[in-house]
Amino acid sequence: MEHTAVRDLLDASSIGKNAIAKGWVRTKRGNKNVAFIAFNDGSTIHNLQLVIDPNAFSEELLKSISTGACIRAKGAVVESKGSGQATEMQVEELLVYGEADPETYPLQKKGHTLEFLREIAHLRPRTNTFGAVLRIRHHLAFAIHKYFNDRGFFYLHSPIITGSDAEGAGEMFHVTNFDLNAPPRTPDGAIDYAQDFFGKETNLTVSGQLEGELGAMALGKVYTFGPTFRAENSNTPRHLAEFWMIEPEMAFHEIQDNMDLAEDMLKYLVKYALEHCKDDIEFLNNMYDKELLGRLSSVVEKPFTRLTYTDAISILEPKSKDFEFKVDWGTDLQKEHENYLVEHFKGPVILTDYPKHIKAFYMKQNDDGKTVRAMDVLFPWIGEIIGGSQREENYDKLLARVKEMGIHEESLWWYLETRKFGTCPHAGFGLGFERLVLFVTGMQNIRDVIPFPRTPKNAEF
């Protein structure tokens, strides 16, 4: 007989059936007449109660079952006599797969700080909190693929190793197979990357966008969804060195189409989570953030406010004295400015038409010569959750911008060449997956929405 998931055994339709359950012990309590085990296999936030007659099993076996132990239980599923669950299992057979020493097992029945749980990331998925977060993360990833597939997009696998810097930020991890103690040198003493594995200097990617644009120029609508990396020495609750990005690119889309797609996608994803992760979200709402459910519902129900960067500045400038960072036209907005706008409009905001000097080289320039068709989506508490733009399709304008920003055009010859051969208007954006999960779960630190966070001085597990 195959084992049945706890989420299915908790359904009233399982009453009267004999079943096998396999999973981990959360707690055990009882007396000489009856023992109760709270049991979970990760399929749901809720535990299945196992009811055991101590006289039917050896004392040695029962003693080996403690919090954290992995067991197999077989028995009849019956209507629960206690409150809080519809069913329980009257256990007839017990097998211990693996014991957990109660003296050393760190997840005992008590409160644990999230900081402590980051130190035991190999075990924290067994907690209610991280079980919920990881299930929500799964459902959101699935929903992303479903959303794009159902709308005619093709999933493009962009490279993780790259010879270009899409953002021009320079904060990238180098990839090499050189002996770092004695790398080959050129006559002038520089490292000779021509002798490296790829014959040039290479890095871990910060974005799949540029390759995504190439795919869109042939397939029409594509999206990438993969790991990206940034060597930024930042320990804030919003930054990771390794994170996942969703980056759609669409031929024949302009900035308005880009905004429409971004809003529709975000509403779809949040609604999907509310429908498929209801129990997990309710748990996180009650445990960490009492406003979570209301915040999620408001995103689905209310249209996003759209305004230009210039209009946003006119709203922010009168409040400048209340901000830590000065705000005037031409400055890049800080999180406090973004939060003010979101609170001012009581919901998500899409800003467009930023000054070109604070945005990337590939964004389409407006006729005013000062701004570009950039697009940022600002979310409650999170701040920027999406950044995108209409891309510059004019070869001469793009090349001039590359030179203006001091980017080596020879490293982007293939990207520039797409503007020579059948160019067209096109647009796209990037959604930081962890920021989305952060918003949907209500967690406060981005390290708590990825299984094994990579941050400065931390590559454990």
Side-chain angles (χ1 to χ4, degrees):
M1 183 189 298
E2 293 185 359
H3 73 278
T4 305
V6 166
R7 68 167 175 262
D8 297 324
L9 294 175
L10 289 170
D11 191 278
S13 63
S14 294
I15 293 174
K17 297 179 180 178
N18 286 321
I20 294 174
K22 299 179 181 180
W24 293 268
V25 174
R26 291 293 179 86
T27 60
K28 185 178 76 171
R29 60 186 175 84
N31 52 46
K32 64 180 181 180
N33 297 316
V34 64
F36 301 98
I37 290 177
F39 173 88
N40 198 291
D41 63 357
S43 61
T44 174
I45 191 73
H46 303 296
N47 297 326
L48 174 67
Q49 179 166 274
L50 306 181
V51 183
I52 298 170
D53 178 1
N55 300 311
F57 302 96
S58 71
E59 183 179 347
E60 182 181 5
L61 175 65
L62 294 178
K63 188 176 180 180
S64 69
I65 299 174
S66 60
T67 297
C70 184
I71 65 173
R72 171 190 184 272
K74 180 180 179 181
V77 181
V78 300
E79 184 177 355
S80 178
K81 296 177 182 178
S83 61
Q85 65 274 333
T87 66
E88 60 189 23
M89 178 183 282
Q90 299 283 355
V91 178
E92 299 163 2
E93 296 180 13
L94 268 176
L95 173 67
V96 178
Y97 287 127
E99 297 181 31
D101 180 3
E103 297 298 321
T104 58
Y105 183 61
L107 295 176
Q108 295 300 321
K109 188 181 179 182
K110 62 177 182 178
H112 298 289
T113 67
L114 297 177
E115 290 79 8
F116 168 72
L117 293 176
R118 286 177 211 137
E119 298 173 5
I120 54 167
H122 59 306
L123 295 174
R124 70 177 183 169
R126 296 192 193 181
T127 64
N128 285 332
T129 294
F130 287 95
V133 168
L134 294 178
R135 282 187 293 271
I136 291 170
R137 186 181 172 103
H138 156 76
H139 283 289
L140 286 171
F142 177 82
I144 286 162
H145 287 297
K146 178 173 172 56
Y147 177 84
F148 286 119
N149 181 72
D150 291 352
R151 286 155 182 79
F153 283 71
F154 297 100
Y155 181 27
L156 186 77
H157 294 133
S158 54
I160 291 175
I161 299 173
T162 180
S164 63
D165 180 357
E167 300 297 329
E171 297 163 335
M172 303 179 77
F173 290 102
H174 294 293
V175 175
T176 181
N177 73 338
F178 281 158
D179 177 355
L180 297 183
N181 293 314
R185 302 279 181 177
T186 61
D188 62 2
I191 295 176
D192 187 3
Y193 286 104
Q195 297 187 48
D196 208 349
F197 186 89
F198 294 104
K200 61 186 294 186
E201 187 174 359
T202 54
N203 309 285
L204 295 179
T205 186
V206 299
S207 170
Q209 177 203 316
L210 303 188
E211 291 82 6
E213 287 188 49
L214 309 186
M217 292 299 100
L219 301 175
K221 294 189 296 186
V222 304
Y223 72 102
T224 72
F225 187 178
T228 51
F229 310 84
R230 189 177 292 283
E232 183 179 2
N233 188 18
S234 175
N235 274 300
T236 78
R238 300 288 186 277
H239 288 88
L240 291 167
E242 176 183 288
F243 50 98
W244 289 67
M245 290 287 292
I246 301 96
E247 298 176 286
E249 292 291 332
M250 298 76 64
F252 316 114
H253 275 52
E254 299 191 24
I255 189 66
Q256 188 68 39
D257 307 302
N258 214 26
M259 289 191 285
D260 291 344
L261 181 72
E263 179 170 350
D264 185 67
M265 182 194 71
L266 287 168
K267 287 178 179 289
Y268 175 93
L269 295 176
V270 173
K271 184 177 180 182
Y272 189 96
L274 285 168
E275 291 176 353
H276 293 83
C277 310
K278 181 175 179 290
D279 290 348
D280 287 323
I281 292 175
E282 285 182 350
F283 167 79
L284 294 171
N285 182 90
N286 296 332
M287 187 75 176
Y288 295 102
D289 185 350
K290 296 293 192 293
E291 298 178 355
L292 176 60
L293 278 166
R295 197 160 57 242
L296 296 179
S297 297
S298 69
V299 165
V300 173
E301 296 163 1
K302 183 181 177 182
F304 294 4
T305 299
R306 302 182 183 189
L307 71 159
T308 66
Y309 167 91
T310 300
D311 289 339
I313 292 297
S314 69
I315 293 171
L316 293 168
E317 274 189 317
K319 299 291 182 180
S320 192
K321 65 180 185 302
D322 299 327
F323 298 130
E324 179 182 355
F325 295 96
K326 181 183 177 182
V327 58
D328 53 26
W329 202 96
T331 59
D332 207 356
L333 299 184
Q334 302 297 317
K335 188 172 184 295
E336 61 176 342
H337 308 138
E338 296 169 344
N339 285 345
Y340 181 87
L341 291 170
V342 169
E343 292 170 8
H344 178 78
F345 289 104
K346 296 181 170 49
V349 173
I350 306 180
L351 292 185
T352 59
D353 301 302
Y354 281 78
K356 73 175 185 179
H357 69 271
I358 62 172
K359 288 297 183 180
F361 73 93
Y362 49 73
M363 296 187 178
K364 184 171 180 61
Q365 300 174 51
N366 286 318
D367 294 338
D368 61 14
K370 298 189 302 180
T371 61
V372 291
R373 295 184 193 175
M375 173 199 83
D376 286 349
V377 181
L378 313 180
F379 254 31
W381 187 75
I382 295 293
E384 181 193 330
I385 197 168
I386 277 179
S389 71
Q390 185 173 338
R391 315 310 190 188
E392 181 57 75
E393 81 273 15
N394 182 283
Y395 175 81
D396 293 330
K397 289 183 178 180
L398 183 62
L399 179 60
R401 189 81 174 112
V402 166
K403 290 179 177 179
E404 181 184 327
M405 296 187 71
I407 299 170
H408 297 297
E409 60 187 272
E410 59 271 17
S411 68
L412 290 174
W413 66 269
W414 45 272
Y415 182 75
L416 292 164
E417 207 163 81
T418 59
R419 274 64 175 177
K420 290 182 178 180
F421 306 134
T423 189
C424 72
H426 60 290
F429 59 80
L431 166 65
F433 187 49
E434 280 72 30
R435 291 196 177 188
L436 174 66
V437 181
L438 202 64
F439 178 75
V440 172
T441 60
M443 301 300 285
Q444 300 292 304
N445 194 309
I446 205 164
R447 294 170 177 83
D448 297 328
V449 297
I450 191 169
F452 307 104
R454 297 292 180 253
T455 55
K457 305 295 188 292
N458 177 35
E460 200 66 58
F461 309 105

